Amino acid sequence: MAAIWAFWKSDTWGGRSWAFMVFLSIMVLHSLAILLFTRGFLLTRTELSQYSQCSDVFESPCFPPYDQNVNNSNRARGCWTKPAVGRLVIILLDALRFDFVAPSTFYAVKKPWMDKLQVIHELASKHPSTARIFKAIADPPTTSLQRLKGLTTGGLPTFIDVGNSFGAPAIVEDNFIHQLVQNGKRVVMMGDDTWLQLFPHHFNVSYPFPSFNVKDLHTVDDGCIKNLLPTLYKEDWDVLIAHFLGVDHAGHIFGVDSSPMIEKLEQYNEILKKVVEVLESQSSPGDLHENTMLLVMGDHGQTLNGDHGGGSAEEVETSIFALSLKKPPTSAPAAFDNSTCQLDMQGRRICFSSIQQLDFAVTVSALLGLPFPFGSIGHVNSELFALAAGTWSLEKLAIHDRQSLSELDEWMQNYVNVLCINSWQVKKYIDVYSSLSLIGFSDKDLLHVSELYAQAQELWSLTSESSVVHENESSFTLPAVKRQLEAYSAFLASVASLARSNWTEFNLKLMGIGFCIMLLSLVLHAFSIKRLDNLCGHHSPSCGNSRNSFGMIFACIAVLTRACSFLSNSYILEEGRVASFLLATTAMLQLRCAIMKKMMLLEALLFVFLLPFLRISIELAQLKQAVSSLFLKMDPLRTPGINEDSQFWMSITQFVPILALVIVGYLLYKSIGCYSCHGILKYVIVGSLSNFMLIAIYWACNSDLLNLPMVPRGLKGNLIPRIIYAVGVVQVSFLSIVLLLVRETTVNLKESTVIKVLAVLSTWSSTIIVLSGKQGPLAVLALLIGGWCIIRLMRLEQNTENKYSGSSHFYALPVTQWSLLAVCMFFSTGHWCAFDGLRYAAAFIGFDEFNLIRQAILLTIDTFGFSHIFPIFGLPFLVACCYPLRQNKRLFSMQLCQVYLMYGLITAVSVTFTILCVTIQRRHLMVWGLFAPKFVFDVVGLVLADVMICLSSLYYIV
């Protein structure tokens, strides 16, 4: 302990070893704090190992579908319910928006992608009692893995599962697929290979295809088409699952309003038409598909720019179309029909109902007569259940004779009995979960749920007793059924609401320890900055007598204002606008100062005029609904949002990015001449200039306007991006050689530092630009102008004698502006703190096949390139460009440390308030849709910033 204290009190601060140890210590503290807090906040719910069994139903107070004492090996008898469906065909269209399925007349404005699935409209209008469109509501986050898990288990997958979206582990808890296999059903799967990762040993036959190449719109779909129709003619299956991916990939690459999306929807319409023809041709009595149900469904929706993962209406609203091939003798009573009907463009009356995706697993299990998954908390949907009512036979149940009951009474009796079993299963799960889980639900919540269940069972007891007494009369009158259904529905809705609000078991102790460690890291930051201030004052008298306290106070106010805004969900949604407002406020303050001092007026005006353009780009980038945004898409081959029929605007969007790239390259070239750049660093910068030329060639070859003939396929494809990545790796290797082998000999620290900064920024620039698409050069240019203005305006903060001041007061405002500019760049380049803000297509630029590590690295560079990599590696400009020629190395190193400590402190303060926010709002309705994604993005950004600051301390500090 004494040795540690001696280290902190020593006068040897500012060297490379000292700086690295300090920054490494801070990074360890941050990592430990994040690890502990995450363990407490993002815990998964307890996954129980229990599985439902056929015999369990006899423990319930409900009517079983057969007599336990009668030896009946007939598989059609059912398990928990009487099977209403013999075979099931599930066609899952990934990222199926509801307006892809619903008629355009349900919307105020008809969009180009609407009314493409005409076969669904025709069936829903011609056969309303056997075909129905449902609006299916998913629970966020809307990643494919979580939705598949929710669809099959009937539970609410927790937020932590997002991390497994690219490497799905097998589902170990009870699920619909497991129950199919356990009860002798033969399952065939084709399409997205995620199913094999989730259910590795469950399919009799499988045709998996790789799913993570978002640029590939056809491989998975073609594989499904090749195998789907032939399989429909076979008898060796009971459930068929075909998972198409074309719509999801078309959305990610081109957006919803695009020709590839419309072509995919038209292709799906033809496929569905052929599937229905095959099924209907063999649906006569005794035929293969006499008792088959077809489900065409999505796992989630997508925004107009093709993203999903969040909780917006576009992302959570998808569709289920159900078609029963056997006409039922009666429909569900009108009292249970909650459909909305309207005429479509052809004058056909089409209705749709709503269903929660949570209800899918238990409803389909009831239709097939399977045990409900043990962990399901869903509610058997009455309208989907009623579509197959025609397959119910009116034979005797095991309890008593019901031959005298009407078909309507039979439907009601069956459905109420199914809800009885449904409620009993959910109550059993809640009881077991609460007894086995570490925390479970509160006593108050459990008491409320138990009271609701007791009330429903009391009604059931009266109804069932009356039914036994009056065997030849219908005791299931509509008012009695409604009361019974309301009681069961109230219980099931209460459980679902309770699970949504309490599913994650927060460990407040771990969360508190993590938060306290974050506070400790802030203290370490502040202490180190203060210590450097004192040492700086010893070496330079003007350092310690700086009169920039107003700038320091204003910087603190700006940092705390932004940090405190995270306590509100509305301000989190407006984070980019808040940062741009604060940056604009500092710019106006400096403009006023420039006018008063009559100096740096051009720089102040340029900075002020730059910020509206940043604000506009933030507005465009954050409008998920705005198709006109230039910054929404990743595809480097085009600029989405521009009408492709407008030749003028298309020419502008092709020419301006290349012009900006030429300007950036020219500025980099001039920098070589302005400074005595030589040796390895010179070749590193020349390599970046070569990469800029390759990027221009790449864009030109893929331009539809230029339409260059005889262009080799490699130039249009993956060759150039791979060359750029390879050159970048070589450049990083050269910089490592400079760090390890080349000793600093120059006496001009300013010049050598500037050259180092230019070298490392140029190394990253080409990769970041090619990943960002055609917005990249414009963003780099904006960042260069903003950074140059901040550096030049630092002279306004010098004292009246024009002496150089290197204290924390002097750097406080410029470092704060640098940080705010970095935040603005994150949002202006089309990112936001949500999983639908990740531009997955960027991870596949230069590659067609999926590799987890490679794609993760590319996605990280694209996401944090402008907000972390450029600003952090460029931070020494603030010291070098204002540094006097005759100052010693130690003072220069101390000031570099000081600047990096202040930048790290600003970042850590923001993350600390984010942690405080999610702790306070952990029971908020939007905790998993908004606060948790914000937390994940911020802590990943903090760790990344710590790593880069540590590397910078080794690279820059001498």
Side-chain angles (χ1 to χ4, degrees):
M1 193 69 183
I4 296 176
W5 179 250
F7 171 78
W8 290 108
K9 294 294 291 181
S10 68
D11 290 334
T12 60
W13 285 40
R16 177 186 291 180
S17 300
W18 174 89
F20 179 75
M21 289 302 299
V22 170
F23 293 127
L24 182 62
S25 301
I26 292 173
M27 183 176 70
V28 170
L29 283 177
H30 287 165
S31 301
L32 182 60
I34 292 168
L35 175 63
L36 292 175
F37 187 88
T38 303
R39 289 286 299 272
F41 177 63
L42 296 182
L43 289 177
T44 58
R45 62 182 171 84
T46 304
E47 293 187 348
L48 304 183
S49 58
Q50 283 88 338
Y51 291 83
S52 298
Q53 306 293 335
C54 266
S55 58
D56 292 347
V57 73
F58 295 101
E59 302 172 7
S60 74
C62 317
F63 297 142
Y66 63 95
D67 193 334
Q68 184 181 18
N69 298 318
V70 176
N71 183 17
N72 185 358
S73 60
N74 183 7
R75 204 170 70 185
R77 71 186 184 185
C79 205
W80 282 16
T81 61
K82 302 191 72 174
V85 170
R87 307 180 100 197
L88 181 65
V89 178
I90 299 175
I91 297 180
L92 199 153
L93 308 179
D94 208 291
L96 182 71
R97 288 167 56 101
F98 180 65
D99 58 4
F100 288 168
V101 177
S104 59
T105 52
F106 283 84
Y107 298 89
V109 179
K110 185 181 185 301
K111 300 295 184 180
W113 59 84
M114 296 180 179
D115 295 333
K116 300 304 177 185
L117 300 178
Q118 283 294 316
V119 62
I120 291 180
H121 296 177
E122 181 180 352
L123 292 168
S125 62
K126 288 176 61 177
H127 310 289
S129 61
T130 57
R132 175 65 61 91
I133 296 172
F134 292 87
K135 176 190 285 185
I137 310 299
D139 289 285
T142 47
T143 57
S144 293
L145 167 68
Q146 287 187 298
R147 290 298 88 233
L148 292 182
K149 192 170 183 179
L151 284 168
T152 55
T153 62
L156 294 170
T158 49
F159 182 86
I160 198 69
D161 292 326
V162 174
N164 294 323
S165 292
F166 294 101
I171 295 178
V172 295
E173 60 183 328
D174 198 3
N175 58 82
F176 167 61
I177 304 297
H178 171 82
Q179 290 298 337
L180 286 172
V181 176
Q182 288 298 109
N183 290 276
K185 302 293 185 181
R186 300 158 297 175
V187 187
V188 174
M189 189 284 302
M190 57 192 68
D192 187 346
D193 60 358
T194 302
W195 285 88
L196 281 187
Q197 299 175 43
L198 295 174
F199 310 102
H201 309 295
H202 293 70
F203 303 115
N204 293 72
V205 180
S206 61
Y207 305 97
F209 300 93
S211 59
F212 286 116
N213 182 7
V214 294
K215 294 191 293 185
D216 184 356
L217 275 59
H218 305 295
T219 298
V220 176
D221 288 359
D222 290 346
C224 287
I225 295 169
K226 178 182 178 181
N227 295 285
L228 177 57
L229 294 178
T231 304
L232 292 176
Y233 290 100
K234 299 179 181 179
E235 299 182 4
D236 59 350
W237 59 270
D238 299 296
V239 175
L240 187 154
I241 300 170
H243 189 155
F244 290 76
L245 279 176
V247 162
D248 179 67
H249 289 184
H252 282 304
I253 298 297
F254 302 103
V256 171
D257 190 5
S258 62
S259 298
M261 178 65 76
I262 293 173
E263 291 170 2
K264 269 295 165 188
L265 292 173
E266 292 173 345
Q267 181 189 27
Y268 287 173
N269 186 65
E270 294 301 316
I271 295 168
L272 294 176
K273 187 181 298 183
K274 294 178 181 178
V275 169
V276 172
E277 289 176 356
V278 172
L279 296 177
E280 288 184 336
S281 67
Q282 300 189 46
S283 62
S284 301
D287 284 350
L288 186 61
H289 296 296
E290 173 191 7
N291 195 14
T292 297
M293 173 174 272
L294 170 66
L295 295 177
V296 180
M297 59 188 294
D299 53 348
H300 51 73
Q302 58 178 301
T303 62
L304 288 183
N305 51 308
D307 297 319
H308 58 87
S312 68
E314 290 180 308
E315 295 165 277
V316 301
E317 291 180 0
T318 180
S319 182
I320 296 178
F321 169 72
L323 171 66
S324 176
L325 294 171
K326 189 171 184 179
K327 184 178 179 180
T330 183
S331 299
F336 307 134
D337 190 350
N338 299 313
S339 60
T340 301
C341 301
Q342 199 161 319
L343 299 180
D344 69 355
M345 298 294 289
Q346 282 75 37
R348 299 172 297 196
R349 186 173 184 270
I350 298 178
C351 302
F352 81 88
S353 304
S354 293
I355 184 175
Q356 295 289 325
Q357 272 196 357
L358 192 67
D359 303 336
F360 175 81
V362 67
T363 303
V364 175
S365 296
L367 288 171
L368 290 169
L370 300 173
F372 304 163
F374 185 82
S376 170
I377 56 172
H379 174 276
V380 176
N381 183 272
S382 60
E383 291 166 283
L384 180 56
F385 192 64
L387 288 179
T391 62
W392 291 332
S393 62
L394 299 182
E395 65 186 19
K396 290 183 179 181
L397 288 176
I399 304 301
H400 56 280
D401 189 356
R402 305 190 183 282
Q403 290 180 345
S404 61
L405 297 182
S406 68
E407 292 175 350
L408 181 59
D409 292 332
E410 178 74 6
W411 186 92
M412 291 190 296
Q413 171 114 0
N414 272 280
Y415 183 59
V416 171
N417 188 62
V418 167
L419 277 193
C420 175
I421 298 173
N422 187 185
S423 300
W424 164 80
Q425 169 262 321
V426 171
K427 180 62 166 61
K428 179 182 178 182
Y429 169 68
I430 292 298
D431 290 342
V432 174
Y433 182 86
S434 298
S435 63
L436 296 180
S437 180
L438 293 176
I439 300 176
F441 301 107
S442 67
D443 293 337
K444 181 181 178 181
D445 290 333
L446 288 175
L447 179 61
H448 176 65
V449 167
S450 298
E451 289 175 351
L452 291 176
Y453 183 72
Q455 294 171 8
Q457 286 308 110
E458 184 177 355
L459 282 175
W460 172 257
S461 298
L462 295 174
T463 304
S464 59
E465 289 174 6
S466 176
S467 177
V468 171
V469 172
H470 304 282
E471 293 186 8
N472 296 320
E473 299 178 10
S474 174
S475 63
F476 281 77
T477 61
L478 189 58
V481 169
K482 288 191 66 176
R483 287 194 299 271
Q484 185 71 70
L485 291 180
E486 287 172 357
Y488 281 137
S489 297
F491 164 73
L492 292 169
S494 177
V495 171
S497 176
L498 178 65
R500 286 189 173 99
S501 61
N502 295 276
W503 208 244
T504 297
E505 302 171 351
F506 298 111
N507 189 323
L508 295 180
K509 183 177 180 181
L510 285 178
M511 292 170 66
I513 294 173
F515 181 72
C516 290
I517 295 176
M518 280 299 300
L519 292 178
L520 177 62
S521 75
L522 299 185
V523 173
L524 178 59
H525 268 110
F527 175 77
S528 300
I529 292 171
K530 182 63 177 176
R531 177 65 174 160
L532 284 172
D533 258 353
N534 294 336
L535 293 176
C536 179
H538 294 159
H539 287 265
S540 176
S542 63
C543 253
N545 300 319
S546 173
R547 289 182 284 178
N548 298 294
S549 58
F550 178 75
M552 167 68 89
I553 294 172
F554 194 84
C556 292
I557 292 174
V559 171
L560 291 176
T561 299
R562 177 171 177 263
C564 290
S565 70
F566 297 154
L567 299 176
S568 166
N569 62 312
S570 299
Y571 281 105
I572 290 178
L573 291 171
E574 305 294 333
E575 183 181 357
R577 299 179 178 95
V578 170
S580 66
F581 169 78
L582 293 174
L583 185 59
T585 304
T586 64
M588 294 303 296
L589 175 69
Q590 290 180 318
L591 177 61
R592 176 181 176 274
C593 185
I595 293 174
M596 293 178 62
K597 292 188 175 183
K598 297 181 181 180
M599 59 183 296
M600 301 297 169
L601 190 58
L602 176 62
E603 291 85 345
L605 286 172
L606 182 59
F607 195 34
V608 169
F609 284 126
L610 171 69
L611 296 178
F613 290 99
L614 282 179
R615 178 59 184 266
I616 291 171
S617 66
I618 291 173
E619 294 292 335
L620 292 175
Q622 298 311 294
L623 288 176
K624 294 184 182 182
Q625 306 284 344
V627 186
S628 59
S629 171
L630 296 179
F631 299 142
L632 283 180
K633 304 312 295 176
M634 284 327 66
D635 188 3
L637 312 185
R638 66 188 194 105
T639 305
I642 297 297
N643 186 356
E644 296 184 8
D645 296 329
S646 174
Q647 191 70 20
F648 173 76
W649 285 110
M650 287 299 295
S651 300
I652 290 295
T653 59
Q654 298 286 339
F655 174 73
V656 170
I658 296 180
L659 177 62
L661 185 64
V662 171
I663 294 174
V664 172
Y666 173 77
L667 294 175
L668 186 59
Y669 173 77
K670 289 293 291 182
S671 68
I672 301 177
C674 292
Y675 299 97
S676 57
C677 183
H678 56 274
I680 294 178
L681 296 181
K682 179 179 180 179
Y683 293 111
V684 168
I685 296 176
V686 170
S688 297
L689 294 174
S690 302
N691 278 344
F692 289 169
M693 295 177 59
L694 289 175
I695 293 173
I697 294 172
Y698 180 57
W699 289 345
C701 291
N702 288 281
S703 172
D704 295 330
L705 293 178
L706 297 179
N707 195 20
L708 299 177
M710 306 296 291
V711 175
R713 179 179 299 181
L715 294 181
K716 286 189 174 183
N718 299 326
L719 178 60
I720 289 181
R722 291 185 180 185
I723 292 175
I724 292 172
Y725 301 151
V727 172
V729 172
V730 173
Q731 289 174 305
V732 170
S733 302
F734 283 173
L735 293 179
S736 301
I737 293 173
V738 171
L739 173 64
L740 296 175
L741 302 180
V742 178
R743 295 298 177 183
E744 188 69 52
T745 57
T746 179
V747 294
N748 192 340
L749 289 175
K750 175 179 179 179
E751 182 175 292
S752 65
T753 302
V754 169
I755 291 297
K756 281 185 175 182
V757 175
L758 290 173
V760 74
L761 292 183
S762 66
T763 296
W764 286 101
S765 60
S766 52
T767 298
I768 294 174
I769 288 173
V770 78
L771 291 176
S772 300
K774 291 185 178 178
Q775 64 169 327
L778 298 173
V780 170
L781 202 56
L783 194 57
L784 287 175
I785 295 173
W788 180 79
C789 291
I790 292 172
I791 293 168
R792 294 285 295 169
L793 291 171
M794 288 176 66
R795 297 194 177 185
L796 292 173
E797 304 300 322
Q798 294 182 13
N799 54 41
T800 54
E801 290 84 11
N802 200 31
K803 292 181 180 179
Y804 173 70
S805 175
S807 72
S808 59
H809 287 206
F810 175 72
Y811 287 117
L813 187 58
V815 173
T816 301
Q817 289 179 309
W818 202 269
S819 174
L820 291 173
L821 180 62
V823 175
C824 290
M825 294 307 301
F826 177 81
F827 289 96
S828 67
T829 50
H831 299 94
W832 51 89
C833 294
F835 291 102
D836 55 344
L838 293 173
R839 304 185 300 189
Y840 298 104
F844 290 91
I845 293 177
F847 301 95
D848 292 327
E849 58 283 344
F850 175 77
N851 178 280
L852 179 61
I853 297 177
R854 181 181 63 212
Q855 264 60 57
I857 292 173
L858 293 178
L859 187 62
T860 301
I861 293 174
D862 173 71
T863 304
F864 296 105
F866 286 101
S867 61
H868 286 70
I869 296 175
F870 279 150
I872 291 176
F873 284 127
L875 201 57
F877 274 137
L878 294 180
V879 178
C881 292
C882 294
Y883 187 74
L885 292 178
R886 292 186 176 90
Q887 290 284 358
N888 61 57
K889 291 183 179 180
R890 187 181 175 197
L891 179 60
F892 181 80
S893 297
M894 285 193 294
Q895 288 162 2
L896 274 181
C897 291
Q898 199 172 45
V899 167
Y900 272 116
L901 282 168
M902 294 176 69
Y903 192 92
L905 177 61
I906 293 172
T907 307
V909 167
S910 299
V911 175
T912 302
F913 272 81
T914 299
I915 290 175
L916 179 62
C917 165
V918 296
T919 303
I920 295 172
Q921 307 283 13
R922 64 186 183 278
R923 297 301 182 190
H924 193 281
L925 181 65
M926 299 178 67
V927 63
W928 304 123
L930 178 65
F931 295 110
K934 167 63 177 170
F935 167 76
V936 171
F937 273 77
D938 276 10
V939 298
V940 170
L942 177 62
V943 173
L944 188 63
D946 286 338
V947 171
M948 288 190 292
I949 288 174
C950 285
L951 294 176
S952 298
S953 68
L954 293 175
Y955 180 67
Y956 292 120
I957 297 176
V958 296

